[in-house]
């Protein structure tokens, strides 16, 4: 846009120069050409001043351009959520921890299944997927599982994380959400068995994701090559030269 304006100004100045030399050009006279020359000169000066101010403003804006706290938080969360998938040791550790930590849930599910599988007075078992998950013992075991897992994971972030305050604040919000879901699940299940199932599922998902975020450590679960302690691969070329000596 600036170059276009300068081209127009140059064309106007060239036209005025031609008219000042008494050359006929589109019927302009010398007096009008002098006024046009003055106007074109003022426009050129104003455009130059405007460009200088714009460049100063852009330079100051770039210097003050720092990443926002929200961007830093989202970057940290995305790193903790996605990066662990590239480390098999952490994935296996996560699966084993969830299977062992949810032992109470598996025991409650097995007891509910055995109870419902026993023949009733009619001789017909009453085992269905919905009836198992609506069992009070199963609901209580899931409630205690996600409440304990999620709260401890949030406390781990709050206590251990000492560099990112925004991540600690996010863990506090998650802790409050887990407490709220636990209370709502208990109240709903007390009123009617099975009504708190949606709160149990939501709390379990949040608790598992919180554990995944809290326990990941890049340096702890990364696999270091065994030859690093020996100085690297044996096939790598030795740095430097032999100084003319035969090896």
């Amino acid at each position: 846009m600036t170059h276009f304006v300068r081209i127009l100004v140059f064309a106007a100045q060239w036209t005025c120069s031609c008219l000042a030399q008494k050359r006929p050009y589109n019927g302009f006279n010398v007096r009008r050409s002098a006024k046009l020359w003055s106007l074109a000169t003022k426009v050129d000066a104003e455009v130059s001043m405007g460009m200088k101010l714009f460049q100063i403003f852009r330079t100051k804006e770039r210097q003050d351009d720092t990443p926002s706290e929200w961007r830093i938080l989202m970057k940290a969360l995305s790193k903790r959520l996605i990066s662990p998938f590239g480390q098999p040791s952490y994935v296996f550790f996560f699966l084993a921890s969830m299977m062992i930590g949810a032992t109470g849930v598996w025991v409650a599910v097995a007891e509910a299944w055995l109870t419902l599988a026993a023949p009733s007075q009619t001789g017909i078992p009453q085992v269905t997927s919905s009836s198992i998950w609506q069992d009070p013992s199963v609901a209580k075991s899931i409630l205690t599982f996600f409440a304990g897992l999620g709260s401890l994971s949030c406390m781990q972030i709050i206590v251990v994380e000492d560099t990112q305050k925004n991540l600690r604040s996010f863990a506090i919000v998650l802790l409050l959400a887990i407490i709220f879901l636990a209370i709502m699940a208990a109240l709903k299940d007390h009123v009617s068995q099975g009504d708190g199932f949606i709160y149990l599922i939501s709390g379990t998902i949040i608790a598992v994701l919180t554990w995944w975020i809290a326990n990941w450590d890049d340096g702890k679960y990364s696999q270091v090559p065994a030859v690093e302690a020996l100085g690297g691969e044996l096939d790598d070329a030795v740095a430097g030269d032999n100084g003319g000596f035969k090896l």
Side-chain angles (χ1 to χ4, degrees):
M1 183 67 182
T2 305
H3 297 290
F4 179 72
V5 173
R6 288 186 177 276
I7 291 173
L8 293 179
V9 172
F10 176 77
Q13 290 177 347
W14 179 80
T15 303
C16 296
S17 177
C18 293
L19 293 176
Q21 297 176 6
K22 298 181 181 180
R23 296 179 182 178
Y25 189 80
N26 290 341
F28 287 100
N29 53 23
V30 177
R31 181 179 300 175
R32 295 182 64 183
S33 65
K35 292 182 179 180
L36 186 58
W37 179 278
S38 177
L39 179 61
T41 303
K42 291 181 180 179
V43 172
D44 186 36
E46 291 178 358
V47 170
S48 300
M49 181 62 67
M51 286 302 302
K52 290 181 180 179
L53 294 176
F54 179 73
Q55 290 177 357
I56 293 173
F57 176 77
R58 287 294 301 274
T59 302
K60 184 178 180 181
E61 185 180 10
R62 291 176 180 177
Q63 291 176 353
D64 297 338
D65 187 15
T66 56
S68 63
E69 293 291 335
W70 287 104
R71 187 181 302 175
I72 295 175
L73 176 60
M74 295 305 297
K75 184 177 181 180
L77 290 176
S78 61
K79 182 179 180 180
R80 288 173 176 262
L81 284 173
I82 299 175
S83 297
F85 286 103
Q87 299 175 341
S89 57
Y90 184 75
V91 175
F92 294 145
F93 173 65
F94 166 77
L95 295 177
S97 299
M98 292 300 103
M99 294 294 294
I100 297 173
T103 302
V105 178
W106 311 135
V107 172
V109 170
E111 290 180 350
W113 184 82
L114 291 176
T115 302
L116 295 174
S120 60
Q121 296 179 356
T122 59
I124 301 175
Q126 300 177 355
V127 177
T128 60
S129 58
S130 59
S131 61
I132 291 177
W133 295 112
Q134 290 178 357
D135 188 90
S137 61
V138 175
K140 291 179 181 179
S141 61
I142 296 176
L143 175 60
T144 55
F145 168 72
F146 87 77
L149 180 67
S151 59
L152 289 177
S153 300
C154 291
M155 292 301 299
Q156 180 177 350
I157 297 176
I158 296 171
V159 174
V160 176
E161 184 61 43
D162 56 353
T163 58
Q164 295 184 356
K165 295 182 179 180
N166 48 19
L167 192 60
R168 297 170 63 182
S169 302
F170 181 72
I172 295 175
V173 175
L174 288 178
L175 179 59
L176 295 177
I178 291 172
I179 295 175
F180 171 77
L181 292 173
I183 294 175
M184 291 299 299
L187 293 177
K188 288 289 185 179
D189 193 71
H190 178 73
V191 174
S192 177
Q193 294 182 1
D195 289 350
F197 184 73
I198 184 65
Y199 296 100
L200 295 175
I201 295 299
S202 302
T204 303
I205 293 175
I206 295 177
V208 171
L209 291 178
T210 305
W211 190 96
W212 177 274
I213 294 173
N215 288 273
W216 178 74
D217 187 357
D218 191 13
K220 184 184 298 184
Y221 298 99
S222 297
Q223 179 63 39
V224 180
V227 295
E228 289 293 332
L230 303 176
E233 296 289 344
L234 299 178
D235 297 335
D236 295 341
V238 181
D241 52 22
N242 53 15
F245 294 96
K246 294 183 179 181
L247 301 179

